[in-house]
Amino acid sequence: MKYDVECSACSYHSSNLLDFKCSSCGMPLDIQVHLDFETKRISKKDFSLWRYRRFFPYVRDGEIVRLGEGWTPLVRFSERVYFKLESLNPTGSFKDRGSALLVSALHKLVKKRRGYISEDSSGNAGASIAAYAARAGLRAKVYVPEAVAGPKFNQIQFYGADVVKVSGNRSKVAEEAQKPEPGKFYVGHILHPLFRDGIRSLAYEMSEQFGWKAPGCVYLPVSAGTLLLGVVSGFQHLVGSNVIESMPRIVACQTRQVSPLYHRMKNLSYTPLDTLASVADALVSVDPPLLELMVKNLKKVDGDAVIVEEEEILEAFRELAGRGFYVEPSSAVAYAGYKKQVKNKEVSVDSSAAIVLTGAGLKTATVRP
Ligand SMILES: Cc1ncc(COP(=O)(O)O)c(C=O)c1O
Ligand SMILES: [Zn+2]
């Protein structure tokens, strides 16, 4: 077998790509790929994330569902700073990497069982899963919080997903999405290992675009942790296969309001507010189910974490827009984290930095000019 579905906490193995948590201990599952990364195995004429399809062996060639995901531009912003424009993915965010892999791997299996997929999200992931399901001709049900509104919700509806509004907090929404129903296959992006695994492609792209070198550091906005875990796993694969020399310094950037990972990394206690009111409205996981895995993996690669204040996010957002990069405030969190570390001399200005701009500004509903 070229891959395994393994528990992140115990020795349980699964052979079922539809599983989303360990049936022995309930912890998150991980995909382990038993293939070295070899640059000669890249499909060089494919200018999408599928140029790396050989390293995602659970997707069959004829079953790829495409909307033009990946191979996003890496743009030089200043002497040492580069932006990876994930906002230019088909649905406007990096989530398309996860959805493309997940839906490509599962659509035939789900259709064969006359089923549909179920996801919980009011935001970018919901829109992304809905788009890929639409492309695959697969029914999708997206569970959203009752108060949902705005451009992302419109996107989910126009892609044709069934929308189920759930009252109560975010965990209640996830609970409803997971409730067994005839034909329902839960593929929630936070828990499903295939979604996270698709994000590996982002590390491959950045390394290739830097000429098979890792940048000195990589700044990422972090909420549920799928972006962080996927990027770490991709760089680890490249280092383990001797394609790049060493890991970049990975920096998880969080808002003060939603910063459980930062607090764990710095051994501080964290009590979230009762209600969130951040301009970074995509970063809402105050109690992320993948927290232990994030802490373990970020420590393993000697990564770091930083938190930013609301004013710092707004300043970074306005600076980016003022230079032509119109991204979501949640994406500006990564640039704000970089600026803060430069100011605090926690990063060398001689080191190259890749900042992942995760989502498009047109989705913004929290800031007015
Ligand atoms: C625009 C944007 N940036 C960053 C993130 C954080 O990603 P993750 O939840 O995988 O940590 C999200 C998640 O919703 C997002 O929508
Ligand atoms: Zn387990």
Side-chain angles (χ1 to χ4, degrees):
M1 220 25 185
K2 292 179 182 156
Y3 67 92
D4 264 316
V5 185
E6 293 178 4
C7 177
S8 60
C10 76
S11 56
Y12 177 81
H13 277 240
S14 162
S15 53
N16 186 355
L17 281 175
L18 287 161
D19 282 353
F20 66 90
K21 63 179 175 191
C22 174
S23 19
S24 170
C25 75
M27 293 303 280
L29 294 172
D30 258 338
I31 307 282
Q32 298 291 343
V33 171
H34 310 302
L35 287 168
D36 274 347
F37 191 99
E38 293 176 288
T39 53
K40 65 170 194 270
R41 303 196 66 209
I42 294 173
S43 309
K44 296 214 166 65
K45 290 189 185 147
D46 189 332
F47 298 101
S48 78
L49 63 76
W50 297 106
R51 64 200 277 104
Y52 308 112
R53 75 180 73 159
R54 295 288 161 247
F55 310 110
F56 294 94
Y58 46 78
V59 177
R60 297 208 177 108
D61 271 351
E63 297 180 5
I64 291 178
V65 179
R66 288 176 188 266
L67 286 169
E69 50 287 340
W71 204 243
T72 56
L74 178 78
V75 178
R76 192 169 185 197
F77 179 61
S78 62
E79 175 100 31
R80 303 270 175 198
V81 176
Y82 295 79
F83 292 143
K84 179 68 171 157
L85 300 188
E86 286 297 283
S87 46
L88 294 183
N89 274 302
T91 76
S93 84
F94 78 94
K95 307 272 183 180
D96 293 343
R97 296 181 185 275
S99 306
L101 265 298
L102 181 139
V103 173
S104 296
L106 299 183
H107 67 109
K108 281 267 156 70
L109 278 174
V110 175
K111 275 191 208 155
K112 211 180 330 169
R113 299 176 195 198
R114 297 181 190 285
Y116 65 92
I117 55 173
S118 145
E119 147 81 339
D120 49 296
S121 154
S122 60
N124 286 323
S128 180
I129 294 261
Y132 282 83
R135 186 78 183 104
L138 185 64
R139 229 182 104 208
K141 232 186 217 185
V142 181
Y143 292 73
V144 301
E146 207 164 38
V148 62
K152 295 174 191 174
F153 182 52
N154 285 354
Q155 243 187 316
I156 297 173
Q157 290 183 298
F158 278 120
Y159 287 134
D162 297 334
V163 175
V164 184
K165 286 191 179 175
V166 181
S167 58
N169 62 20
R170 185 62 183 77
S171 331
K172 188 82 178 77
V173 183
E175 214 176 281
E176 284 300 312
Q178 285 177 38
K179 248 186 207 159
E181 280 173 38
K184 186 201 263 188
F185 292 90
Y186 179 68
V187 298
H189 71 283
I190 296 178
L191 291 176
H192 206 291
L194 283 171
F195 185 91
R196 221 179 310 137
D197 197 55
I199 314 288
R200 272 195 284 133
S201 58
L202 181 51
Y204 301 156
E205 278 179 29
M206 284 194 277
S207 304
E208 184 168 359
Q209 289 169 326
F210 274 107
W212 295 116
K213 270 205 322 251
C217 37
V218 176
Y219 285 77
L220 308 162
V222 174
S223 176
T226 66
L227 176 64
L228 174 74
L229 289 167
V231 166
V232 166
S233 150
F235 279 117
Q236 282 177 314
H237 189 204
L238 295 176
V239 174
S241 308
N242 296 315
V243 174
I244 58 171
E245 256 171 42
S246 55
M247 278 300 286
R249 190 168 143 267
I250 306 278
V251 186
C253 306
Q254 298 204 294
T255 65
R256 175 167 295 280
Q257 291 184 28
V258 182
S259 48
L261 176 62
Y262 169 85
H263 282 82
R264 278 291 298 279
M265 290 296 288
K266 307 287 176 189
N267 292 320
L268 300 167
S269 71
Y270 170 65
T271 315
L273 299 174
D274 286 337
T275 42
L276 300 176
S278 173
V279 288
D281 62 337
L283 312 180
V284 293
S285 297
V286 289
D287 185 16
L290 301 175
L291 182 60
E292 294 311 317
L293 204 53
M294 285 193 262
V295 172
K296 183 173 106 186
N297 291 8
L298 191 56
K299 284 190 174 163
K300 203 195 273 171
V301 298
D302 253 336
D304 195 7
V306 60
I307 40 172
V308 291
E309 310 296 333
E310 289 299 300
E311 312 79 71
E312 293 172 315
I313 304 168
L314 275 169
E315 189 193 302
F317 167 77
R318 289 185 194 285
E319 183 186 332
L320 287 170
R323 305 285 290 273
F325 296 92
Y326 190 45
V327 299
E328 285 191 52
S330 301
S331 312
V333 165
Y335 184 49
Y338 172 73
K339 283 163 67 87
K340 186 163 201 165
Q341 289 214 318
V342 170
K343 194 163 113 198
N344 294 344
K345 300 202 167 30
E346 285 167 308
V347 58
S348 151
V349 280
D350 298 332
S351 160
S352 60
I355 294 161
V356 180
L357 298 181
T358 48
L362 295 174
K363 294 175 180 250
T364 303
T366 53
V367 194
R368 296 259 166 269

PDB file of all heavy atoms in Angstrom, residues 7 9-10 12 22 24-27, ligand 2:
ATOM      1  N   CYS A   7      -4.234   6.395  13.084  1.00  0.00           N
ATOM      2  CA  CYS A   7      -4.657   7.262  14.187  1.00  0.00           C
ATOM      3  C   CYS A   7      -3.462   8.123  14.614  1.00  0.00           C
ATOM      4  O   CYS A   7      -2.324   7.661  14.635  1.00  0.00           O
ATOM      5  CB  CYS A   7      -5.137   6.417  15.362  1.00  0.00           C
ATOM      6  SG  CYS A   7      -5.577   7.447  16.780  1.00  0.00           S
ATOM      7  N   ALA A   9      -3.045   9.227  17.537  1.00  0.00           N
ATOM      8  CA  ALA A   9      -2.761   9.037  18.967  1.00  0.00           C
ATOM      9  C   ALA A   9      -2.484   7.581  19.359  1.00  0.00           C
ATOM     10  O   ALA A   9      -1.671   7.319  20.231  1.00  0.00           O
ATOM     11  CB  ALA A   9      -3.923   9.565  19.798  1.00  0.00           C
ATOM     12  N   CYS A  10      -3.151   6.615  18.720  1.00  0.00           N
ATOM     13  CA  CYS A  10      -2.910   5.212  19.094  1.00  0.00           C
ATOM     14  C   CYS A  10      -2.429   4.450  17.865  1.00  0.00           C
ATOM     15  O   CYS A  10      -2.099   5.038  16.847  1.00  0.00           O
ATOM     16  CB  CYS A  10      -4.176   4.594  19.714  1.00  0.00           C
ATOM     17  SG  CYS A  10      -5.472   4.161  18.536  1.00  0.00           S
ATOM     18  N   TYR A  12      -4.051   2.419  15.942  1.00  0.00           N
ATOM     19  CA  TYR A  12      -5.134   1.997  15.040  1.00  0.00           C
ATOM     20  C   TYR A  12      -4.846   2.376  13.569  1.00  0.00           C
ATOM     21  O   TYR A  12      -4.380   3.465  13.277  1.00  0.00           O
ATOM     22  CB  TYR A  12      -6.442   2.654  15.503  1.00  0.00           C
ATOM     23  CG  TYR A  12      -7.632   2.367  14.621  1.00  0.00           C
ATOM     24  CD1 TYR A  12      -8.347   1.177  14.728  1.00  0.00           C
ATOM     25  CD2 TYR A  12      -8.031   3.300  13.654  1.00  0.00           C
ATOM     26  CE1 TYR A  12      -9.433   0.923  13.914  1.00  0.00           C
ATOM     27  CE2 TYR A  12      -9.117   3.048  12.832  1.00  0.00           C
ATOM     28  CZ  TYR A  12      -9.817   1.860  12.966  1.00  0.00           C
ATOM     29  OH  TYR A  12     -10.890   1.622  12.151  1.00  0.00           O
ATOM     30  N   CYS A  22     -10.689   7.993  14.706  1.00  0.00           N
ATOM     31  CA  CYS A  22     -10.240   6.660  15.098  1.00  0.00           C
ATOM     32  C   CYS A  22     -11.387   5.889  15.737  1.00  0.00           C
ATOM     33  O   CYS A  22     -12.006   6.381  16.688  1.00  0.00           O
ATOM     34  CB  CYS A  22      -9.076   6.801  16.078  1.00  0.00           C
ATOM     35  SG  CYS A  22      -8.525   5.237  16.770  1.00  0.00           S
ATOM     36  N   SER A  24     -11.067   3.331  17.466  1.00  0.00           N
ATOM     37  CA  SER A  24     -10.626   2.762  18.729  1.00  0.00           C
ATOM     38  C   SER A  24     -10.603   3.823  19.837  1.00  0.00           C
ATOM     39  O   SER A  24     -11.160   3.626  20.903  1.00  0.00           O
ATOM     40  CB  SER A  24      -9.248   2.134  18.520  1.00  0.00           C
ATOM     41  OG  SER A  24      -8.680   1.780  19.732  1.00  0.00           O
ATOM     42  N   CYS A  25      -9.976   4.996  19.584  1.00  0.00           N
ATOM     43  CA  CYS A  25      -9.866   5.990  20.673  1.00  0.00           C
ATOM     44  C   CYS A  25     -10.557   7.320  20.369  1.00  0.00           C
ATOM     45  O   CYS A  25     -10.584   8.206  21.218  1.00  0.00           O
ATOM     46  CB  CYS A  25      -8.394   6.221  21.018  1.00  0.00           C
ATOM     47  SG  CYS A  25      -7.511   7.206  19.812  1.00  0.00           S
ATOM     48  N   GLY A  26     -11.081   7.483  19.168  1.00  0.00           N
ATOM     49  CA  GLY A  26     -11.842   8.695  18.851  1.00  0.00           C
ATOM     50  C   GLY A  26     -11.000   9.889  18.429  1.00  0.00           C
ATOM     51  O   GLY A  26     -11.529  10.950  18.107  1.00  0.00           O
ATOM     52  N   MET A  27      -9.675   9.732  18.433  1.00  0.00           N
ATOM     53  CA  MET A  27      -8.807  10.863  18.087  1.00  0.00           C
ATOM     54  C   MET A  27      -8.712  11.025  16.555  1.00  0.00           C
ATOM     55  O   MET A  27      -9.113  10.150  15.804  1.00  0.00           O
ATOM     56  CB  MET A  27      -7.411  10.649  18.700  1.00  0.00           C
ATOM     57  CG  MET A  27      -7.398  10.694  20.222  1.00  0.00           C
ATOM     58  SD  MET A  27      -8.069  12.233  20.883  1.00  0.00           S
ATOM     59  CE  MET A  27      -6.659  13.296  20.682  1.00  0.00           C
TER      60      MET A  27
HETATM   61 ZN    ZN B   2      -6.751   5.955  18.066  1.00  0.00          ZN
END
